[in-house]
Amino acid sequence: MTRTTSSACASSAADIPAARASSTARSPRVRRAFVAVAAAALLALSCVLAGCSSGSTGADSSTSPAADGAAASQGSTLRVAMELAYPPFETKDDAGNPEGLAVDFIRDFGAAYGYDVQIENTAWDGLIPALQTGKADLVISSMTITDERKQSVDFSDAYAMAQLAILANANSGVASIDDLNQPGKKVAVKTGSTGDVYATKNLTNAEIVRLADESACVTEVVQGKADGFLYDQLTIYRNHQANPDTTEAVFIPFQDAEEWGIAVKKGNTTLLDQLNAFIAQSKADGEFDRLTEKYLAEEKKAFDEYGFKWFFDFE
């Protein structure tokens, strides 16, 4: 859904004298033309008086990107697809309503730009197709920006950073990524995740077990059916804390930090520009610090102790 400024605002009040001059004509056809031109001129003047001209260089044009975008998108519905299965970023509250850091972030974006945000819980493998078929306007779901995904969608600038880690079975003897890349080792991955991509490319000696969701992968490791599960550090940290007797967490970095982006349909530059402006503003005004304090305060302390790169450390 690409939003553009109304074409009526492109007209200028300078058109009005020309319209008046045309009223000297006597034929009904010319009089009708005059009425149409005059109406267009009055509409253009209304736009100017309302401050909707995109070419304005007055004081109002120097306001924040959010203020500029709100005029174009005020009252528009923004359909957001996310998989509500990854707390505390995308999840549900006790009543089943969307909740989490990413939920707050995209609602704050909607408030800044005048959108009515509607969140649709969507299975992971249906997120990008939802954009391509017009069922959603954007996807924010802890999705890593990859070259392969860029072929299907356009991504915003990074709004978070993450690194992969390993949740290993306590009896697997896995202490590094190389220990997983061995004959006889089973690696659980969430289908379509970057853990899946990494394992497919780099763990060619191991057996890869692809499952539909994160919890199923954790269960495989806890029960000893898989030797390790590849996912982001926060997920591995939390699941090791929940299963300290049956799992080990391996945090030794084995790839560069991944960038999470917000996906939009290819060519939707209006929405993409708004998202990038809001992300930049959020990095500068403490939005990510506020969200961290609300949802990830304890995890932030743990990451600092481990020396991990934090999700919102963009340096």
Side-chain angles (χ1 to χ4, degrees):
M1 178 168 67
T2 302
R3 299 174 179 80
T4 56
T5 306
S6 172
S7 60
C9 294
S11 299
S12 169
D15 294 333
I16 295 175
R20 288 174 177 166
S22 68
S23 64
T24 58
R26 298 300 181 183
S27 71
R29 178 178 299 176
V30 173
R31 284 198 297 271
R32 287 197 296 271
F34 160 70
V35 172
V37 171
L42 288 173
L43 180 57
L45 179 60
S46 297
C47 286
V48 172
L49 293 175
C52 68
S53 174
S54 60
S56 175
T57 57
D60 289 343
S61 67
S62 64
T63 56
S64 69
D68 292 338
S73 53
Q74 187 69 40
S76 299
T77 298
L78 186 68
R79 298 164 300 169
V80 177
M82 59 173 68
E83 184 186 39
L84 298 175
Y86 181 50
F89 285 89
E90 304 96 20
T91 187
K92 302 176 185 177
D93 63 17
D94 293 339
N97 299 311
E99 180 183 63
L101 189 152
V103 173
D104 282 10
F105 181 77
I106 205 62
R107 283 176 173 164
D108 289 346
F109 167 76
Y113 282 87
Y115 288 112
D116 175 20
V117 174
Q118 294 184 3
I119 295 173
E120 295 292 336
N121 187 16
T122 306
W124 177 261
D125 59 3
L127 291 173
I128 288 179
L131 288 178
Q132 295 173 316
T133 58
K135 294 180 179 179
D137 302 307
L138 67 80
V139 167
I140 178 169
S141 196
S142 304
M143 181 176 284
T144 301
I145 301 170
T146 67
D147 290 337
E148 181 180 2
R149 289 170 181 159
K150 284 181 179 179
Q151 295 177 17
S152 302
V153 298
D154 289 337
F155 278 104
S156 70
D157 296 335
Y159 71 91
M161 312 289 287
Q163 286 187 306
L164 290 177
I166 306 167
L167 183 71
N169 180 270
N171 299 317
S172 68
V174 172
S176 72
I177 193 67
D178 291 336
D179 293 335
L180 271 182
N181 190 26
Q182 303 295 331
K185 293 296 186 184
K186 291 186 178 181
V187 183
V189 295
K190 179 177 177 177
T191 303
S193 68
T194 49
D196 184 359
V197 174
Y198 181 91
T200 301
K201 183 177 180 180
N202 298 285
L203 305 184
T204 55
N205 295 320
E207 178 184 348
I208 300 173
V209 180
R210 295 178 176 84
L211 300 169
D213 58 68
E214 163 202 330
S215 60
C217 294
V218 172
T219 299
E220 290 289 295
V221 173
V222 169
Q223 295 180 351
K225 296 178 181 178
D227 296 287
F229 165 44
L230 296 187
Y231 220 58
D232 69 85
Q233 288 176 330
L234 177 61
T235 298
I236 300 307
Y237 169 79
R238 287 188 153 200
N239 282 287
H240 173 54
Q241 294 293 105
N243 302 279
D245 297 329
T246 55
T247 67
E248 295 287 346
V250 181
F251 294 119
I252 301 171
F254 50 87
Q255 66 170 170
D256 294 335
E258 300 176 340
E259 297 182 339
W260 290 356
I262 302 171
V264 303
K265 189 173 184 178
K266 273 199 164 297
N268 192 347
T269 55
T270 299
L271 183 56
L272 195 64
D273 289 345
Q274 291 175 342
L275 288 166
N276 285 336
F278 187 72
I279 290 168
Q281 178 180 321
S282 297
K283 292 175 181 178
D285 69 7
E287 168 85 351
F288 291 117
D289 293 334
R290 291 189 292 271
L291 293 173
T292 293
E293 184 61 28
K294 180 177 180 180
Y295 289 103
L296 290 165
E298 292 185 9
E299 289 80 0
K300 177 63 165 63
K301 292 178 182 178
F303 270 48
D304 288 345
E305 291 175 1
Y306 280 110
F308 295 163
K309 186 179 182 70
W310 185 237
F311 282 94
F312 309 120
D313 179 4
F314 300 100
E315 298 300 324

